Amino acid sequence: MVEEGAPLWEPSPEIVRNAKVTRYAEWLGRAGDYESLWQWSVDAPEEFWTSIWDYFGVVGERGDGPVMSGEMPGTEWFAGSTLNYAANALRRAASDPGRLAVISRDEAGGRRTLTLGELAEEVARVRAGLAALGVGRGDRVAAYVPNVPEALVAFLATASLGAVWSSCSPDFGAPSVIDRFTQIEPKVLVAVDGYDYNGKHFDRSEVVRDIAAKLPTLVARVRVPARETTGAPETRDADAAGDGVRTVSWAEVRAVAGPLAFEPVPFGHPLWIVYSSGTTGLPKPIVHGHGGVVLEHLKALSFHQDLGEDDVFFWYTTTGWMMWNYLVGGLLVGSAVVLHDGAATYPETGALWRLAAEEGVTYFGTGAPYVIASMKAGLEPSGLDRLRGLGSTGSPLPPEGFAWVHDALPEVQLGSFSGGTDVCTGFVGAVPLLPVRAGVIPCRCLGARVESFDPSGTPVVGEVGELVLTLPMPSMPVMFWNDPDGSRYRDSYFSEYPGVWRHGDWIKILPDGGCVIYGRSDSTLNRGGVRMGTSEFYRVVERFEEITDSLVIDTGRLGEEGRLLLYVTMAEKTPLDDDLVARLRRELREGLSPRHVPNEIIEVPGIPRTLSGKKLEVPIRKILLGVAPEKAANLDAMANPEVLSHFVPGAVAPEVRSPGGA
């Protein structure tokens, strides 16, 4: 077992000297240690965020209003300013049209590229096509598309018009998409008719018809054939689908060369709408503004990921996860972005590492589960001579995952980040100035006043508490869609501590500013008064090679201790026998505490996850407490809804192992 905090990587003097955050600090006249720079960024937020605008030369008019006014959740930023995200993303196209901007890969080996000039031309064409369909400032364009160039082009074209973008991945089921898009009343739906995943083709034409039929505000549907080459001669008759919605092809939408123009919009004008996971209740339609995203992504990608014009930036994601929005932000700092369409592990587990080697990726981002899968498969990635940084997010990465990255790629800085869809960035992460220690996220990000609150709302250091923000950030939601009085927004983040953002994660902030994330605070294990994040539990269980996945649930309620249940998915042809159960009990007792030995260990064929890969801890807990599965979880937001039946009380019997006295 790797000790938490074990040193793994140290930046060389050359890395520190050449880091983009170092150059920024020198420009400020604040050269020194990172912690001092962070402290200034949260003590003087007006100065800090103004410096981000000035340092990067944001394209727009800053206006003469205050940088920030009002308290959370009603803070207004850069009053009187105007700008446009797309203008900033494409700012280099006129001066350097031949620069590589987009690399698109699919799991079958297909490859496409776009230079900045070609990307700008495509955006101008689709902008004209959307405008011809009646799309203008404030209208919503919804997209049901994979991570392909057409998605990026359509997004930038939408943003250039001052319209509002919202996307779902085509692996979402129709009810899940309808739950999202009906809330925002889109004018146009951009949709693919099929996609490939894990070596199989999935026809989505029927699903798209179902979605379109439930969106009465649509004036048109834009059909993007699966893996269509941009510009292919493909047309469709009006209402070819027979559902009353005019259908046009991608080729038709981009048929006319239009001027590349950008609608100036206020700083907080809606840019896109993203959604909470939707595992319980109707997904929350979270709205981010042009200005907040531009400033936050310039800061985060440049200073924390250390990205710039010489970089090739890749993050494995779909269009249904906020990391897609973060990935395309690479254009803001001049990086080429790599779009991948398909499964991470097809045709084999090392597929993404091979892609990174072939494309000369300099920053590789993925979810923590892929790092763990690579570790368990014993992979030894090679050919990654240009790789400088590896990003991990989505769930806590255990110390063993940190150690594997260091052993496999000793020159690469691992950046474990934690934040959320809610702000489309990370609150805590890495920076090139600080070392990497096993299981420890090096710092709180610039401009993010992250604190750990104990149950009384008092900040604590060196103790696990609630992750809160006591200072607003520009990329916090400007609103939830269809929430006119803001009550749903306030209830989501500010009901526990008025005026303080409660994020719903457990965090420990170390005296030196390092952070450890322990998972969601609403799925915490509380055994005999000892609170523990589920990530600590998984760290022990998933070290066993015989176990491919696991889920731990504490059924306790307020004032009543319940049972601790461990569900495991076994490796192929591996039994859950008495020897394994005994070893699990021993490791959990010694690695955690006697209180955290499960009452039952239960074998199941799969662990329920969202489409973005997160374990459904809270919905499963509700099912175990008697809530019907269809009410506890949104089945269409799940990657594997078929496994839910195995978590209904009484559904499993022979595979249950009771460890006895714990």
Side-chain angles (χ1 to χ4, degrees):
M1 211 166 173
V2 178
E3 182 181 357
E4 183 178 279
L8 298 174
W9 180 91
E10 187 85 25
S12 68
E14 182 182 12
I15 289 174
V16 173
R17 183 170 60 251
N18 294 330
K20 292 172 179 60
V21 69
T22 298
R23 297 173 189 171
Y24 165 69
E26 291 170 348
W27 175 83
L28 281 172
R30 292 186 171 274
D33 64 281
Y34 176 80
E35 188 68 14
S36 297
L37 185 64
W38 173 82
Q39 193 66 57
W40 168 77
S41 75
V42 296
D43 286 345
E46 296 96 336
E47 293 179 51
F48 170 68
W49 291 108
T50 296
S51 78
I52 299 298
W53 185 303
D54 293 342
Y55 183 73
F56 289 101
V58 170
V59 178
E61 297 294 329
R62 210 170 79 194
D64 55 4
V67 173
M68 58 185 293
S69 57
E71 303 295 325
M72 283 196 290
T75 304
E76 181 182 4
W77 293 90
F78 289 92
S81 299
T82 59
L83 74 167
N84 187 289
Y85 177 101
N88 283 275
L90 296 171
R91 63 189 300 179
R92 298 167 179 84
S95 61
D96 197 1
R99 177 183 288 273
L100 183 63
V102 179
I103 301 168
S104 175
R105 293 284 301 264
D106 63 48
E107 64 178 27
R111 184 179 191 267
R112 287 191 277 163
T113 62
L114 289 170
T115 64
L116 271 174
E118 291 167 340
L119 177 60
E121 180 184 356
E122 288 301 313
V123 170
R125 285 177 172 273
V126 175
R127 182 185 197 275
L130 290 175
L133 293 174
V135 175
R137 180 167 168 158
D139 290 329
R140 275 76 65 208
V141 174
Y144 187 63
V145 287
N147 188 11
V148 293
E150 290 80 7
L152 174 57
V153 168
F155 158 59
L156 291 173
T158 298
S160 75
L161 290 163
V164 188
W165 172 262
S166 189
S167 61
C168 287
S169 174
D171 55 356
F172 280 41
S176 180
V177 178
I178 291 165
D179 280 349
R180 287 158 169 77
F181 288 167
T182 52
Q183 296 186 73
I184 67 171
E185 301 178 312
K187 179 173 279 190
V188 169
L189 174 66
V190 180
V192 72
D193 59 3
Y195 71 99
D196 290 350
Y197 188 84
N198 210 27
K200 299 178 181 179
H201 181 73
F202 297 85
D203 185 344
R204 306 307 272 172
S205 54
E206 198 66 41
V207 174
V208 172
R209 282 193 285 271
D210 290 345
I211 294 168
K214 296 294 195 300
L215 301 175
T217 56
L218 286 185
V219 299
R221 180 171 73 232
V222 177
R223 178 179 178 268
V224 180
R227 292 186 177 163
E228 171 186 290
T229 301
T230 300
E234 187 270 342
T235 59
R236 288 289 298 271
D237 295 331
D239 193 23
D243 56 14
V245 178
R246 178 187 176 193
T247 302
V248 297
S249 71
W250 180 259
E252 289 176 284
V253 166
R254 65 169 299 280
V256 178
L260 183 60
F262 307 99
E263 175 75 9
V265 295
F267 189 91
H269 183 79
L271 169 64
W272 57 48
I273 301 171
V274 292
Y275 304 88
S276 61
S277 63
T279 53
T280 57
L282 204 60
K284 299 189 290 287
I286 300 167
V287 183
H288 295 128
H290 280 247
V293 170
V294 167
L295 291 189
E296 174 57 37
H297 286 185
L298 283 171
K299 176 213 77 177
L301 290 164
S302 184
F303 300 154
H304 292 281
Q305 262 80 41
D306 201 37
L307 289 171
E309 294 184 353
D310 296 328
D311 286 295
V312 178
F313 179 38
F314 169 65
W315 209 292
Y316 178 70
T317 182
T318 71
T319 58
W321 187 23
M322 58 139 286
M323 292 311 300
W324 182 84
N325 306 67
Y326 193 75
L327 168 63
V328 301
L331 295 172
L332 293 169
V333 295
S335 299
V337 297
V338 181
L339 313 178
H340 178 270
D341 173 23
T345 55
Y346 182 86
E348 35 76 27
T349 305
L352 295 187
W353 300 111
R354 187 179 67 251
L355 177 152
E358 292 170 354
E359 299 298 347
V361 168
T362 58
Y363 198 99
F364 177 114
T366 185
Y370 185 72
V371 175
I372 299 302
S374 298
M375 177 183 73
K376 289 192 171 187
L379 297 187
E380 297 180 2
S382 61
L384 298 167
D385 300 338
R386 296 198 64 208
L387 189 65
R388 295 184 293 103
L390 176 71
S392 172
T393 192
S395 58
L397 184 67
E400 289 75 16
F402 277 74
W404 177 83
V405 171
H406 177 69
D407 291 342
L409 302 162
E411 303 302 318
V412 173
Q413 182 190 16
L414 171 64
S416 182
F417 286 78
S418 184
T421 300
D422 320 78
V423 288
C424 211
T425 191
F427 297 129
V428 295
V431 70
L433 310 182
L434 297 176
V436 175
R437 296 170 289 169
V440 178
I441 296 176
C443 65
R444 291 171 281 188
C445 294
L446 294 175
R449 185 182 278 164
V450 175
E451 298 190 61
S452 175
F453 272 15
D454 69 10
S456 67
T458 301
V460 293
V461 175
E463 300 177 25
V464 178
E466 289 274 3
L467 190 161
V468 300
L469 280 94
T470 55
L471 182 76
M473 294 173 62
S475 67
M476 284 178 173
V478 294
M479 61 178 175
F480 286 177
W481 201 264
N482 277 339
D483 182 29
D485 64 356
S487 58
R488 195 178 182 196
Y489 178 33
R490 290 192 300 273
D491 289 346
S492 295
Y493 309 110
F494 300 97
S495 60
E496 186 77 14
Y497 310 108
V500 172
W501 174 293
R502 174 186 175 270
H503 194 60
D505 281 344
W506 290 121
I507 186 173
K508 178 169 65 177
I509 300 175
L510 305 176
D512 63 2
C515 305
V516 182
I517 299 291
Y518 292 99
R520 296 294 296 174
S521 56
D522 50 10
S523 59
T524 298
L525 311 177
N526 190 343
R527 310 299 294 171
V530 178
R531 298 189 303 174
M532 183 173 294
T534 55
S535 66
E536 295 180 87
F537 204 95
Y538 300 138
R539 178 187 170 195
V540 174
V541 173
E542 293 176 14
R543 285 193 302 110
F544 285 78
E545 293 182 357
E546 300 94 329
I547 296 172
T548 61
D549 207 355
S550 65
L551 184 78
V552 62
I553 302 293
D554 184 350
T555 63
R557 310 185 198 216
L558 185 64
E560 176 187 337
E561 183 154 296
R563 298 176 69 76
L564 190 64
L565 309 177
L566 171 61
Y567 294 89
V568 294
T569 300
M570 306 302 296
E572 189 176 1
K573 298 180 180 178
T574 301
L576 179 63
D577 56 22
D578 292 339
D579 175 67
L580 179 58
V581 169
R583 286 187 288 128
L584 270 170
R585 290 182 60 203
R586 182 172 62 251
E587 290 294 323
L588 288 166
R589 178 185 295 273
E590 295 175 359
L592 301 180
S593 82
R595 297 181 179 90
H596 291 88
V597 175
N599 297 102
E600 296 175 14
I601 301 175
I602 306 164
E603 182 180 353
V604 290
I607 298 302
R609 290 180 179 270
T610 68
L611 288 168
S612 59
K614 295 183 178 180
K615 299 182 185 186
L616 270 70
E617 295 169 332
V618 175
I620 295 303
R621 183 175 182 273
K622 290 183 178 181
I623 291 172
L624 293 170
L625 293 175
V627 177
E630 63 274 13
K631 292 184 179 180
N634 183 338
L635 305 187
D636 292 292
M638 290 182 60
N640 52 350
E642 69 279 359
V643 304
L644 274 188
S645 61
H646 296 273
F647 296 84
V648 177
V652 290
E655 301 87 351
V656 175
R657 300 301 184 97
S658 299

